[in-house]
């Protein structure tokens, strides 16, 4: 008997996929998602039910209707749909760039003679079923960093697998990344024009990574394509739109502004160019954009055709000129209409960061103080003790398939009712920078290596992203450590670490900024704007607090290195004297 996909049926019958799932549920048919399939007989039953639901009610003509007061008109604005944002991932040389190129060439509307598109990090494809926004930085590392700040930017991940090679290490990693970000996956089986293409092998191999193709009764959509001839690409786009439809994506051009940095670079002539994907609201020239502790005034915006635009609505990516420093891909973008508000947003971000660090430190202190106290005593009320599920998140790396399987097997046994060992990725070989990015997206995730070591570059990245890499030569030592993490005995501790020292050389009076700025020279290390500061006079600490701003000449900067002069503005202290020492420290996590 042939099968029919739930969302296809929903579309045919013009009902919402969610409603369709409810109807099926009421009929006792359990379907996890709308991309599941049902048999024809069930589909017929559903059709009959919906026809019944849609029948107009019989008129009740005999009774005159009671005059009803006019209802207050409810002005409820319908939030418009937005196009899905798609990322393309997969192993090197499997055809990601070729697929993007093919779509760009055939599906991007020609806006002007020649229709030359310029790379801004994302483009809009127009298909018969609607628009699709493609992030055109292929590769999972770009994707991972783009989602580093919480939610993913993409609504659908297309995993490209060459039919001539099937699953390769980076394919598995890309799939792990998409799964960790909870982004629905469509598999594009590419290069079907090649004589050695083996689509069936890819479909079978996908089962190893728990993606069961629909043809085998599963829910993973697979589309055979050729990025060279274009075969299957329309079907791929159609499936992307169908999958996106289930997510009911909406955005309000008049709502609160939300955007994300897709990429940023420094152009020798123009300065910092950052691509912002607008997710909600509208961005306009001369607005102020705020990214983390950085802000800038939008001086100009260009679209994917290199044309100047004055505003950008949801689903569009624009390159903006206006930042004085390069923002990081994946950072969220806020907007304000004036500079004062932009600064306030930054202050709030800073404060939140400091509060979070001190809350963590306080929680740690409380934990050690209360080791002897019962949870009830701690909570100060009798009754049920809440059992919170403890989740230990890991990336596991081992030297051979055999040791990896052994590790996976033993770790799986640690999963209990109140404990979950969440393995983001288990791979053979040394950890990669991609692993670090993957781990950095999950709170407290660690990279556990058995008989493999991280390269210098990967260690550096791990330091930067504050991800711990642990290396073991004996499997049971690794397991023992995981068990300790589960019991919570390897809790991180926090420490304030001195990172730089500056000497105050002159006092600059700036009444507009609300006080004095310390014109200083960095004697040692570096000063960071998000650090903590201490003012030392005659070897005694006279003030302790946070930094309000760091300036090099007229520009706000994030850090100032040893040997440079700068202006330091403190939150709540401005009675500087030449010769004062300003010590800057940061709160860092250290392993117990
Ligand atoms: P990426 O590293 O995943 O971005 O892969 P590319 O798009 O650079 O493709 C790698 C190579 O495979 C290039 O030589 C492409 O021309 C070739 N290629 C990509 N797609 C196809 C396809 O559908 N058929 C054939 N025969 N070759 C392809």
């Amino acid at each position: 008997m042939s099968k029919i996909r739930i969302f296809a049926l929903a579309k045919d019958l013009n009902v919402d996929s969610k409603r369709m799932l409810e109807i099926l549920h009421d009929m006792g048919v359990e379907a996890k998602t709308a991309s599941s399939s049902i048999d024809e007989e069930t589909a017929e039953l559903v059709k009959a039910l919906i026809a019944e639901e849609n029948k107009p009610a019989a008129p009740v003509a005999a009774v005159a209707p009671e005059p009803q007061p006019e209802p207050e008109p409810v002005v409820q604005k319908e939030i418009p749909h937005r196009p899905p944002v798609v990322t393309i991932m997969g192993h090197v040389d499997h055809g990601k760039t070729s697929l993007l190129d093919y779509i760009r060439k055939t599906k991007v509307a020609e806006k002007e003679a020649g229709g030359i598109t310029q790379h801004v990090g994302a483009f809009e494809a127009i298909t018969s079923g609607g628009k699709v926004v493609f992030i055109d930085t292929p590769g999972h590392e770009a994707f991972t960093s783009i989602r580093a700040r919480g939610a993913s930017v993409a609504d659908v991940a297309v995993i490209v697998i060459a039919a001539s090679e099937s699953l390769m290490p980076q394919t598995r990693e890309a799939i792990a990344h998409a799964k960790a970000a909870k982004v629905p996956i469509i598999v594009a089986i590419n290069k079907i024009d090649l004589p050695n293409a083996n689509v069936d092998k890819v479909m079978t191999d996908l089962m190893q990574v728990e993606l069961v193709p629909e043809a085998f009764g599963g829910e993973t959509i697979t589309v055979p394509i050729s990025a060279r001839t274009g075969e299957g690409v329309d079907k791929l786009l159609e499936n992307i739109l169908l999958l996106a439809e289930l997510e009911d994506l909406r955005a309000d051009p008049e709502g609160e502004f939300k955007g994300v940095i897709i990429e940023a670079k420094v152009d020798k002539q123009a300065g910092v160019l950052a691509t912002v994907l607008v997710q909600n609201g509208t961005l306009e020239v001369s607005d102020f954009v705020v990214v983390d502790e950085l802000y800038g005034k939008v001086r100009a915006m260009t679209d994917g055709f290199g044309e100047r635009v004055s505003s950008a609505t949801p689903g569009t990516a624009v390159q903006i000129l206006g930042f004085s420093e390069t923002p990081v891909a994946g950072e969220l973008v806020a907007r304000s209409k004036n500079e004062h508000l932009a600064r306030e947003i930054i202050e709030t971000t800073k404060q939140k960061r400091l509060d979070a660090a001190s809350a963590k430190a306080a929680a740690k202190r409380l934990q050690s103080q209360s080791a002897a106290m019962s949870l009830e005593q701690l909570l100060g009320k009798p009754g049920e003790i809440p059992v919170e599920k403890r989740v230990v998140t890991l990336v596991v790396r081992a030297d051979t398939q055999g040791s990896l399987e052994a590790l996976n097997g033993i770790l799986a046994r640690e999963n209990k009712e109140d404990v979950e060992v969440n393995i983001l990725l288990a791979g053979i070989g040394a950890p990669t920078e991609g692993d670090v990015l993957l781990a950095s997206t999950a709170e407290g995730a660690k990279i556990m290596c058995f008989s493999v070591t991280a390269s210098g570059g990967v260690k550096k990245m791990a330091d930067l992203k504050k991800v711990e890499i642990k290396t073991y030569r004996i499997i049971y030592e690794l397991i023992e450590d995981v068990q300790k993490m589960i019991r919570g005995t390897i809790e991180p501790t926090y420490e304030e670490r001195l990172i730089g020292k500056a000497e105050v050389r002159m006092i600059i009076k700036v009444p507009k900024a609300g006080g004095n700025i310390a014109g200083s020279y960095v004697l040692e290390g570096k000063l960071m704007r998000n650090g903590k500061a201490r003012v030392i006079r005659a070897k005694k600490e006279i003030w302790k607090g946070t930094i309000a701003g760091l300036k090099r000449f007229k520009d706000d900067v994030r850090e100032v290195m040893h040997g440079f002069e700068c202006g330091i503005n403190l939150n709540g202290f401005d009675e500087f004297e030449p010769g004062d020492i300003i010590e800057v420290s940061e709160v860092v996590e250290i392993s117990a």
Side-chain angles (χ1 to χ4, degrees), residues 91-98 190-191 193-194 226-228:
H91 194 73
V92 62
D93 278 349
H94 278 202
K96 300 177 291 292
T97 316
S98 308
N190 191 29
K191 305 199 186 184
D193 58 295
L194 288 178
S226 166
R228 181 160 290 176

Side-chain angles (χ1 to χ4, degrees), residues 258-387:
K258 242 176 82 187
V260 63
I261 302 283
I262 298 285
E263 55 180 43
K265 61 178 179 194
V266 182
D267 181 281
K268 276 203 190 107
Q269 269 124 41
V272 177
L273 291 173
T275 299
V276 175
L277 174 72
V278 180
Q279 297 175 305
N280 203 51
T282 301
L283 186 64
E284 288 172 337
V285 170
S286 83
D287 282 348
F288 283 84
V289 272
V290 184
V291 174
D292 196 36
E293 294 186 12
L294 210 73
Y295 77 91
K297 185 177 176 145
V298 181
R299 281 189 275 137
M301 295 201 281
T302 42
D303 67 6
F305 296 94
E307 272 188 15
R308 289 223 170 191
V309 289
S310 56
S311 67
T313 49
T316 45
V318 278
Q319 199 168 57
I320 66 168
L321 187 67
F323 282 110
S324 54
E325 283 175 64
T326 337
V328 180
E331 298 269 11
L332 299 178
V333 186
R335 179 200 63 176
S336 84
K337 285 286 174 194
N338 65 54
E339 190 166 2
H340 176 71
L341 273 176
R343 281 175 179 274
E344 260 179 25
I345 297 174
I346 291 175
E347 280 314 312
T348 318
T349 308
K350 269 193 200 168
Q351 201 50 51
K352 272 192 193 151
R353 188 164 285 158
L354 286 170
D355 289 350
S358 46
K360 263 191 175 178
K364 171 69 196 159
R365 269 199 306 280
L366 196 64
Q367 199 178 31
S368 50
Q369 280 165 9
S370 64
M373 255 193 250
S374 78
L375 195 56
E376 273 178 67
Q377 281 172 313
L378 191 66
L379 295 171
K381 57 178 178 211
E384 266 187 26
I385 299 175
V387 182

